[in-house]
Amino acid sequence: MTTATPKPGGIADWIAEHLSTPGPPPPEEPWMAQSLAKGAAGTTLLHIERALSGRDSWKRAHTWIAASVAGEVSAGDTAGLYLGAPAIAFVLHAASTGSTTRYDDAWKTVDAHVAMLAHRRADAALARISRGELTAFREYDIFLGLTGIGAYLLRSSPGSTAMERVLHYLVALTRPLSIDGKEIPGWWVGHDPQITTSSRLPGGHGNLGAAHGISGPLLLLSQATRRGITIDGQHEAIETICAHLDAWRQDGETGPWWPEHISLADLHTGRTHQHGPARPSWCYGTPGIARAGQLAAIATAEPHRQQLFEDALNRCLTDPVQLARLTDAGLCHGWAGAYQTAWHAARDATTPALHTALPHLADALARHAASGPRGPGLLDGDAGTALALTTAAQDTAPLSGWDACLLIN
């Protein structure tokens, strides 16, 4: 699809029609249907949002929901927000918006398994901390870790013991570990960003991004605090993470930026090996980090810090050199994630600067989305792009709350 002046709403409609019917998951990957990232579960969120707004029928949304749960839904210890029972629970909870009966029985059944999973995984993670061992992405991150499970619980049952248990874990995660007699952050992972052992990063790394790094826990801790869901040590945990972000902030000619990750050598010298800002994406870049810092500042009533993070985001999103590094329309790495993050940040901002940046971001998102379909899926596929385009077209928060899976709202 190409057009001289692509309109966000029209492209979103076109994508939704293109994704009207779910196909079967790959035979070698039957679990893909339960994937919020790439599978039917993620694409279902687009059709739920459209059904809630009256732009499409519940029949279509139901077809996708049925495809998501066609196989056995996993509630094993590898399940997380983006795969298995938590993903399905998130989808069903979104579908129940505005109704006390829609999918209620199915949601309650899956939700009970997610609560048990949260307790089980938090217990295992706290035991790992007590042994003084390094963590891994899969323990704490948004995609498969306890931060993502906590994002679901914060929407579905914020006052539950499962939510409380996740918060206890995240507070513990921010306490330093001692490895070989040297103190390192408690969220330090023993692998590289590709989740492998690398000679380039001996001793693992500390990740600062939203998707896999410490900005993800900061998003959840701040969102919970803002909603009045707190435990002992939560404020201190937020301050610990903010101090870490302050320490690793780099002040360049085009504004503040943060390294995607730091090595042991970086940690010991206090200097990053990264030469400048990378892609301004939600997952690893300034948008996700700055939104986390902004929310932390709002939660702890620190207006100066809030302005710093808002300025960093605005300068990032108005720098043509950084924006040129966004090459796709997707949520995770591309224009959709940058736009959706900036839209929420603008709603909370102390100045109108971020609002002023939104039209250009929406135009760029629409142009990239109009270049042609890339396939189903939420994170890198067309469904996530269409959802961000819907926000751009309507300038209202999603009715389904779908973007809570990014922890930006």
Side-chain angles (χ1 to χ4, degrees):
M1 176 183 180
T2 58
T3 175
T5 54
K7 300 296 184 182
I11 302 171
D13 290 342
W14 171 74
I15 290 174
E17 192 60 34
H18 177 71
L19 296 176
S20 61
T21 306
E28 68 279 9
E29 297 176 317
W31 48 265
M32 185 68 80
Q34 306 169 38
S35 170
L36 209 61
K38 300 179 179 180
T43 302
T44 299
L45 291 173
L46 169 62
H47 297 293
I48 289 172
E49 181 67 27
R50 291 176 64 82
L52 287 169
S53 67
R55 297 183 70 85
D56 215 329
S57 69
W58 276 105
K59 181 179 179 181
R60 181 172 288 184
H62 179 74
T63 298
W64 278 88
I65 291 172
S68 302
V69 298
E72 183 178 354
V73 177
S74 172
D77 289 348
T78 57
L81 177 59
Y82 279 72
L83 184 66
I88 299 303
F90 185 89
V91 167
L92 293 175
H93 188 265
S96 71
T97 302
S99 170
T100 58
T101 58
R102 191 186 300 126
Y103 298 106
D104 189 56
D105 289 342
W107 169 71
K108 286 179 179 178
T109 298
V110 183
D111 178 72
H113 286 283
V114 176
M116 290 187 288
L117 174 66
H119 279 284
R120 196 165 66 243
R121 290 193 57 179
D123 289 347
L126 288 165
R128 188 271 308 164
I129 291 173
S130 69
R131 295 193 299 270
E133 299 170 359
L134 295 179
T135 187
F137 286 167
R138 64 180 177 272
E139 181 188 277
Y140 76 87
D141 74 5
I142 290 180
F143 289 168
L144 295 176
L146 280 158
T147 296
I149 293 173
Y152 162 72
L153 293 170
L154 187 60
R155 282 185 59 77
S156 64
S157 50
S160 65
T161 58
M163 182 74 231
E164 182 180 14
R165 195 65 173 153
V166 171
L167 292 176
H168 276 294
Y169 159 70
L170 291 179
V171 169
L173 184 71
T174 65
R175 299 181 184 127
L177 291 174
S178 179
I179 302 295
D180 297 329
K182 295 181 179 179
E183 190 174 278
I184 60 173
W187 56 87
W188 197 271
V189 297
H191 52 71
D192 67 14
Q194 286 70 48
I195 320 180
T196 62
T197 301
S198 171
S199 59
R200 188 174 61 88
L201 288 172
H205 76 287
N207 200 292
L208 279 78
H212 298 299
I214 194 56
S215 291
L218 181 60
L219 283 164
L220 180 58
L221 290 165
S222 302
Q223 296 277 29
T225 301
R226 201 178 181 189
R227 290 161 172 76
I229 309 300
T230 61
I231 62 165
D232 290 344
Q234 190 163 320
H235 184 91
E236 291 79 4
I238 291 172
E239 288 297 328
T240 295
I241 302 172
C242 285
H244 186 76
L245 295 180
D246 289 345
W248 288 100
R249 186 184 72 242
Q250 311 296 306
D251 295 307
E253 293 182 2
T254 56
W257 59 275
W258 288 263
E260 293 183 341
H261 62 267
I262 57 175
S263 66
L264 276 178
D266 295 341
L267 186 66
H268 295 153
T269 63
R271 295 190 299 272
T272 175
H273 66 278
Q274 188 172 316
H275 299 299
R279 177 174 52 194
S281 60
W282 164 79
C283 56
Y284 268 93
T286 296
I289 295 171
R291 177 60 172 160
Q294 179 198 36
L295 286 168
I298 293 170
T300 56
E302 297 185 63
H304 177 72
R305 175 173 282 163
Q306 181 180 348
Q307 291 168 12
L308 185 151
F309 280 105
E310 290 170 2
D311 177 65
L313 180 56
N314 180 59
R315 295 185 69 180
C316 161
L317 295 178
T318 54
D319 176 16
V321 175
Q322 291 186 65
L323 291 179
R325 298 190 179 110
L326 292 175
T327 58
D328 70 77
L331 273 180
C332 192
H333 309 109
W335 287 99
Y339 181 84
Q340 198 73 16
T341 303
W343 189 87
H344 280 290
R347 293 183 81 198
D348 290 325
T350 55
T351 72
L354 284 171
H355 279 283
T356 303
L358 290 177
H360 171 70
L361 296 177
D363 287 345
L365 168 60
R367 287 197 307 273
H368 281 77
S371 63
R374 291 163 297 123
L378 183 72
L379 274 186
D380 298 316
D382 290 326
T385 300
L387 283 163
L389 286 165
T390 301
T391 300
Q394 299 179 356
D395 196 30
T396 56
L399 295 174
S400 63
W402 68 265
D403 51 5
C405 69
L406 304 177
L407 271 173
I408 56 176
N409 76 332

